[in-house]
Amino acid sequence: MKKYFLSVCVLSISLFLNSFHTLNVYAHPHPQLDEKHKHLHMSDQEINDLIKKGYTRHEVFRAYFISKHSNEKNLEKILKVYREKQSWKETAKQFGVDLEKVKKEHLKKHKEFYEKNKAQIINYLATYTGKSTATIEQYLKEDVDLHFLIFAAALSKRGNMDISKIIQDKKSGKSMKEITESAKLDPKSVFHEVKNIQHGIFEAIKNKK
C-alpha cells in the first residue's frame, strides 16, 4: 500500500510540475548524507557525486526517472546521452522509454488510487481548507478533479487565498501556471505544499486501515 501510494504521490507531483513545462522531482527538503530518499531511492552521496561532475540536480532526477523505467541503471550514462542529444524525449527513446506511454500508465494508476480513496481524500481536503465535505463534493461536480483540488488547496494555503477563487479561475480557463503567476507565488513553494498535502492524505488513509 505504502509503495503504491508513493508512486501515485510522485506522479501527482510530476503532473503538477508538467503544468509548468518541466518534469522534475526535488530532493527531500532536509536531506542527510547517505540517507536514502523515500521517493527516489537515491542517497545524497549519489546525487552530490553527479553534481560534482557537472550535472545539475534537475538533470540527475530526470535521468533517474528514465532509469526507473528502463533497463539502464547507470545514471551517468543516461546523463551523457542527454548532454549529446539535448533532448529528454530522445534520450528516453534511446533507452527504450516511451514517455507518453509511461505517463498514460501512471495516469491510470493515479485515477484508480483517487477513486478508491475518494471519500478519505475529500474529508482530508475539507479539513485542510476549512470547507465542508459537501462544498468539496460540489467542486468535483463542477468539472474540477481531485488532482486540481489538491493543487488549489496548496495554492490557497501558500497564498492565503480562498479556494473558491482558485476554482473560479480554473473554470474561467486559466491554467495552473497562470493561476500561480497571478497569485505571485513561487511554483516551488506551491509544489512543496502539494507534497505536504499528499503526505497528509496518505497518513489519513493509513490511519483508517
Side-chain angles (χ1 to χ4, degrees):
M1 168 66 183
K2 185 173 182 179
K3 183 177 180 181
Y4 179 59
F5 173 81
L6 292 178
S7 175
V8 174
C9 181
V10 170
L11 170 65
S12 298
I13 294 168
S14 296
L15 291 173
F16 166 69
L17 291 167
N18 278 342
S19 300
F20 291 88
H21 308 293
T22 180
L23 178 61
N24 191 11
V25 182
Y26 295 91
H28 193 279
H30 302 292
Q32 295 179 359
L33 198 62
D34 292 327
E35 180 181 351
K36 291 290 180 181
H37 291 286
K38 291 181 180 179
H39 301 308
L40 301 178
H41 308 291
M42 295 173 65
S43 70
D44 293 304
Q45 187 64 57
E46 290 173 287
I47 295 169
N48 291 334
D49 285 347
L50 289 168
I51 290 174
K52 287 177 182 177
K53 291 180 179 181
Y55 301 107
T56 67
R57 188 175 293 266
H58 178 85
E59 290 172 336
V60 171
F61 293 147
R62 284 188 177 217
Y64 171 81
F65 180 84
I66 292 173
S67 171
K68 186 178 178 182
H69 293 90
S70 73
N71 293 324
E72 181 55 68
K73 303 307 175 186
N74 187 320
L75 296 190
E76 190 169 5
K77 184 179 289 188
I78 296 172
L79 288 163
K80 285 179 178 178
V81 171
Y82 168 71
R83 286 290 176 89
E84 292 173 3
K85 294 183 177 294
Q86 292 297 303
S87 165
W88 286 111
K89 183 176 181 180
E90 290 303 314
T91 300
K93 186 177 179 180
Q94 177 157 328
F95 292 102
V97 179
D98 183 334
L99 294 180
E100 286 303 311
K101 182 179 179 181
V102 170
K103 182 179 177 180
K104 287 178 181 178
E105 290 173 350
H106 280 250
L107 272 171
K108 182 180 178 181
K109 291 181 180 179
H110 173 86
K111 290 178 180 177
E112 288 173 352
F113 176 83
Y114 276 176
E115 190 59 36
K116 181 179 178 180
N117 300 285
K118 186 175 180 178
Q120 292 99 315
I121 295 172
I122 288 174
N123 286 335
Y124 181 86
L125 290 176
T127 300
Y128 184 90
T129 60
K131 301 291 185 182
S132 67
T133 55
T135 298
I136 298 298
E137 288 170 349
Q138 184 58 39
Y139 289 148
L140 293 173
K141 294 176 182 177
E142 299 174 2
D143 196 30
V144 175
D145 59 21
L146 283 171
H147 169 62
F148 183 84
L149 275 181
I150 289 173
F151 158 73
L155 190 66
S156 172
K157 177 82 168 182
R158 290 291 177 167
N160 194 27
M161 304 162 60
D162 192 287
I163 193 171
S164 61
K165 169 66 168 58
I166 301 168
I167 300 296
Q168 191 56 48
D169 285 343
K170 197 265 185 187
K171 290 166 67 177
S172 69
K174 288 185 179 180
S175 66
M176 287 183 182
K177 182 174 185 291
E178 290 170 331
I179 296 172
T180 303
E181 287 177 345
S182 72
K184 295 181 170 48
L185 290 173
D186 180 356
K188 290 183 183 179
S189 172
V190 181
F191 160 77
H192 283 298
E193 194 59 38
V194 167
K195 284 209 305 184
N196 290 338
I197 294 173
Q198 291 283 6
H199 177 72
I201 288 172
F202 170 60
E203 288 300 316
I205 292 171
K206 183 176 70 173
N207 292 335
K208 284 286 185 179
K209 299 299 181 181

